Amino acid sequence: MRIKILIAVLLLGAGLVLLPLENWVRAERTRLKYGGARVSIQLREAIGQNLAIALLAGMRGIVADFMWINGHDYWEKKEWLRQYRNIEVVAALQPQAVMFWDLGQWHMAWNIGYGVLSDPKNRTKAEGLKREHEWHEKAREFLERGIENIPNRYDLYFTMGWLYYEKLSKDCDQPPCHEAFCKAAEYFGKAASFPDAPQFVTRFYPRALEKCGQTRAAYEEWKRLWFLDHSKVAQSWNIIEREIRELENQLQIPNDERLFPPPLP
Amino acid sequence: MDAIRTEQLTKKYDLGWRKGRLLALDKLNLHVHEGEVYGLLGPNGSGKSTTLKLILDLISPTDGSAWLFDVPCNNVVSRLHVGFLPENPYFYRYLTGAETLVFYGKLCGMSGSSLKQRIEELLELVGLTRARDRQLSGYSKGMLQRIGLAQALIHDPKLLLLDEPTAGVDPIGSKDIRDLILRLKGMGKTVLLSSHLLAQVQDVCDRIGVLNLGQMILEGDVKSLISDQRRLSITVQDLPDDARARVEEAVRSAGASIVSVEHPQTTLESLFLEALKKDERGMGRHD
Amino acid sequence: MTNAAAVPAPSSSHDRVGFSLNRVSVIGVNTLTEAIRQKVFIFLLLVGLVFIGSAIFFSQYSLGEQEQLKVIKDTCLGVISVISTLIAIVGTAQLLPSEVENRTIYTILAKPVRRFEFLLGKFYGSVLLLVLSMAAMCLMFGAVLWIKEQSMIRELSQTYLGETQAATEQANQQIEQVRIAVLDVNMVKAVLTDLVKAMLVASVTLLVSTFSTSLVFNVAVPFMIYMAGMLRGTAVEMWSSHRLAMAVLAIVPDFGLFSLADDINLGNLVPWAHVDQVIVYGLARMVVIVVAAHLIFSRREI
Ligand SMILES: Nc1ncnc2c1ncn2[C@@H]1O[C@H](COP(=O)(O)OP(=O)(O)OP(=O)(O)O)[C@@H](O)[C@H]1O
Ligand SMILES: [Mg+2]
């Protein structure tokens, strides 16, 4: 009997001694933003009993993947609202997953957007445009939450830039809308500032600047890119050269200031 | 110094909730001297195995204590010089005979070529050389008993504790084991063996103790216990009837009395041994 | 018997028998050779390998390369985690009871072997079993990743390379990203913490099996403790204000702390310092549990 008490005390004591370490690790997890939405009643209803158990057993990733794959069904059946809710749940499960935010907004702005635009139930073309615009807005709002969750990677800034550049730029009285391109430039610029951003990302920044109307700033940015070390940066240099030549013509830069002066006659 | 010494050794088994306790061994004072073969006898359930387990610290005494070569039994050092053969021994089924001995040898801190050599000797000794590379799952009961003996001997211990060493072994094997015990005695080893087959122990034991219901009820020198100094038996061969009458007459005239006259029967065991001796084939033949 | 004595002549009662890692490892290796023949173990390992292998097919339901790789990694690391936990329970539950039942323990403890050495040897055997089975599953996982990588690279280069310069560049970058994702050394961290977790589960099972001989009990109780430990993190968050509840909860290890795979697969930063803390936590818990098991086992009647 004494030994049983001793063992209980030992196990409990060890647990209490290790409690600070445990709490520390847990706090570290919160700080590093591990995990995702806690299993609440609402979440359990959204994902079902079995998946909730899997979630509690520590298989968050598998649950999210499974739900994501399942979501393709809704898309194929054009059940937009269901698909949208599914995307929201998956993103809540793994808010650190770039993939779910990225593909989620793509579904909303591109697939669902096109789906409602071409919906035969629309009475007028304008109604389709209006509904499409609503989905663009949903995508933007969704992606903003994504950026809040993952602010330290280039990915979602680029995605947001692309959303403005490709979709939101069509949502004004007389497209293309300048402001949207300026916003796009802002996000592309932010994305390009990450050292690990791929090179094609850096080229979108000056492109958007150009469309925003800041031609001079775009030209300076192209030049800045050109002067990076060619032996170290794997860039498509000929694309940059073409863009610079074009802008040098457009801005009527004097020949002796040009990076690529015209050949001597 | 006694090889084994126990003082007031007592064991009560807990039978579980509300069933009380069972007195399996009651204040046993056992002294086994170095170099002797001691037979612990008694009917089933008399406490023989309990005694051995207590000595090996496999179970702890309710009261009293035990020593091996003056080392308390709850000290692991006491087991340095002991070899133990449990009743109905059982080993890892997937190991071969030789691998089993390697395992026990390593547990005793042996290794390398000395271990290898020792294993060959022991396999030869217990007659399992031919079966050395067979898995124990295919061993017969008697073969398990033999590998058990080899295992007990692996580290050349001073003291051997054998719990029913001849149980499940055929008469020839049983004779082998008894011969082996005598050889071990010849080498100066101490042996404690338990048995309920009285006939088998009387040839090998120097002393015996008889347990019943956990108590030692009889102990002593085998020869003095079983020989009766007042009686004498003479076995003769081819005695004619008239000569027999003269012998009986001589006995009566000397003032003695004849208690019984009978034809001695050969024992079944010796008949069996005789027949097997003529069969040249050994055990574990591969053909 | 010949006259060659194989061990030094027995000396007096001043002999000493120290704790010997050598004996522990002899018992451990022996335990392993026995354990790998258990049918449940082989069954579990096969199930694990089949699931890992079939991750290739699951992943085909998803679209992009990164998405597919995430599904593969989530699935495989999840399977490794679950199967290793089950192997820890099932592989350990019968180690002590079967020794007692088969009475092999008599001959071992009759040798100059400490009970603690025997217990540690058994535990070491089940750890070896875990390392071995996890290594097998990791090999399978590696093979799956490699096959997927090759097929993705082939597909990407066939579709885009040589079309336009920008497409080529993008394809090359995607191939690079695939390579990076496949060769993510961070996955080692997930496997390491999983191993520590499985060892901790094995120690819990060992503790339970020191006082119970029932197979069902020895499997069910550790499993329940494991589930309780998985839910503990949630419970701690909810009841952190109740001192008493916290104290009672403290007896169960927080098994949720060992799940790093999800975050690693998301590319979340998982510093080694953090992994180290988790490992220290697991090992500390394990040591205490093994000591508790020893306290029971050393007094046990055999
Ligand atoms: N683990 C145990 N729990 C309860 N009772 C036990 C236990 N082991 C032995 N006993 C009881 O103790 C008594 C002595 O048993 P023990 O095994 O020592 O007898 P034994 O002399 O070796 O008998 P046998 O000749 O049948 O081997 C028996 O009544 C037995 O039922
Ligand atoms: Mg017995």
Side-chain angles (χ1 to χ4, degrees), chain B residues 43-50 52-53 87 163-164 194 196:
Chain B
N44 291 132
S46 54
K48 305 182 296 287
S49 301
T50 300
L52 294 181
K53 285 190 201 168
E87 59 184 332
D163 199 352
E164 313 211 359
S194 89
H196 48 247

Side-chain angles (χ1 to χ4, degrees), chain A residues 22 26 29 34 65 68 236, chain C residues 74 169 232 257 269 281:
Chain A
E22 212 179 282
R26 222 177 277 122
R29 296 264 158 109
Y34 289 175
D65 295 343
W68 185 258
S236 302
Chain C
D74 280 341
E169 185 196 334
R232 227 196 103 202
L257 293 186
L269 187 70
Y281 172 74

